[in-house]
Amino acid sequence: MEVVIVPDATAGGELIAGALATLLRRKPDALLGVATGSTPLPIYEALAAKVRAGAVDASRARICQLDEYVGLPAGHPESYRSVVLREVVEPLGLGEDSFMGPDGSAEDVQAACEAYDRALSEAGGVDLQLLGIGTDGHIGFNEPCSSLASRTRIKTLTRQTREDNARFFDSLDEVPHHVITQGIGTILEARHLVLLATGEGKADAVAHAVEGPVAALVPASALQLHPHATVVVDEAAAAKLKLADYFRATYAAKPDWQGI
């Protein structure tokens, strides 16, 4: 696992967007796994700016979802399909045919989960998966004590997660109780995992995930098992890392050709 400490969220977004651009130059039809929420927005904004400036061609890129609410219609403005189309697909100049995600409004939710796992595999696998981290250490919607071998499935959200997401709805009552999420085992199959965390509220979760033991209690700690995982954190989110100085030194000495 590589840990990169950046000054702020904007710098983190620019760094990761640069890695995405490098990937697309090498593999124009790369399958990019995206996360939702406010944390990754600087990534999407920076990548879209590179596309507009002609610095990278994203016209053949493919986009896939990490998770989806259960019970919201696909056209609901806060369904993750709508969010990804609005914040990623459209700004990159892509069409809906470049996008894939689980069907949260399916009558048979379990079948939809299994179908999405198959679809990711049949698409050749995810080349780079973007991740955020919850204050309790969750990734995707794999809440604490999720199996580290789990596949795409339905999960019940904790009250804390629903409260964290209530800002996107008119009230807490409107936040769904269930989601479809890629499982930790599914996530770990991506070729490169990139987690971005910003703000002091994520400092404990980052420290447990990066420096603590691998444990289902902290789902993000599973990134320690991945051969190519990058954790990008701003100074506030890095505040409780015991090895922060070491992480700064190793990144400063890293050859440019290695990228992230």
Side-chain angles (χ1 to χ4, degrees):
M1 176 188 291
E2 179 181 29
V3 179
V4 182
I5 301 173
V6 295
D8 51 35
T10 300
E14 186 63 38
L15 178 69
I16 297 170
L20 289 166
T22 298
L23 171 60
L24 289 171
R25 294 186 192 105
R26 186 178 76 248
K27 186 177 182 180
D29 65 344
L31 181 56
L32 309 177
V34 298
T36 53
S38 55
T39 299
L41 289 178
I43 303 172
Y44 307 143
E45 292 165 359
L47 183 59
K50 291 181 186 299
V51 170
R52 291 193 300 270
V56 63
D57 179 5
S59 62
R60 293 172 56 194
R62 297 171 294 154
I63 307 296
C64 64
Q65 277 178 259
L66 183 61
D67 38 43
E68 181 58 275
Y69 285 119
V70 170
L72 292 185
H76 190 287
E78 293 307 324
S79 74
Y80 286 139
R81 180 182 182 86
S82 294
V83 172
V84 171
L85 289 173
R86 186 169 63 242
E87 296 179 350
V88 184
V89 175
E90 293 173 5
L92 293 181
L94 301 173
E96 289 195 40
D97 59 343
S98 68
F99 169 80
M100 57 191 297
D103 185 359
S105 59
E107 185 172 328
D108 187 337
V109 177
Q110 181 58 37
C113 295
E114 294 169 1
Y116 189 50
D117 240 25
R118 286 195 304 274
L120 291 173
S121 178
E122 291 168 359
V126 179
D127 291 292
L128 188 152
Q129 177 65 59
L130 297 173
L131 299 166
I133 186 171
T135 54
D136 58 3
H138 74 253
I139 51 173
F141 277 117
N142 295 285
E143 301 285 15
C145 290
S146 291
S147 166
L148 300 186
S150 55
R151 310 300 304 177
T152 299
R153 69 211 189 285
I154 186 171
K155 287 291 289 183
T156 301
L157 298 180
T158 64
R159 181 174 180 86
Q160 180 62 58
T161 298
R162 292 182 65 244
E163 289 177 348
D164 289 345
N165 288 359
R167 67 189 187 278
F168 300 113
F169 294 81
D170 290 333
S171 69
L172 177 62
D173 291 339
E174 293 186 15
V175 182
H177 286 266
H178 298 95
V179 293
I180 292 174
T181 184
Q182 286 187 36
I184 298 173
T186 307
I187 290 169
L188 290 176
E189 290 179 351
R191 296 178 183 88
H192 186 189
L193 300 178
V194 180
L195 186 151
L196 176 63
T198 57
E200 61 182 357
K202 301 295 178 69
D204 282 319
V206 167
H208 290 312
V210 170
E211 298 177 338
V214 175
L217 188 62
V218 183
S221 66
L223 270 67
Q224 296 180 37
L225 302 173
H226 197 276
H228 190 189
T230 306
V231 176
V232 180
V233 292
D234 68 0
E235 291 289 351
K240 297 191 177 181
L241 289 172
K242 296 176 182 177
L243 297 177
D245 288 342
Y246 172 72
F247 296 140
R248 291 188 183 94
T250 54
Y251 185 68
K254 186 176 183 180
D256 290 341
W257 56 264
Q258 279 191 309
I260 67 167

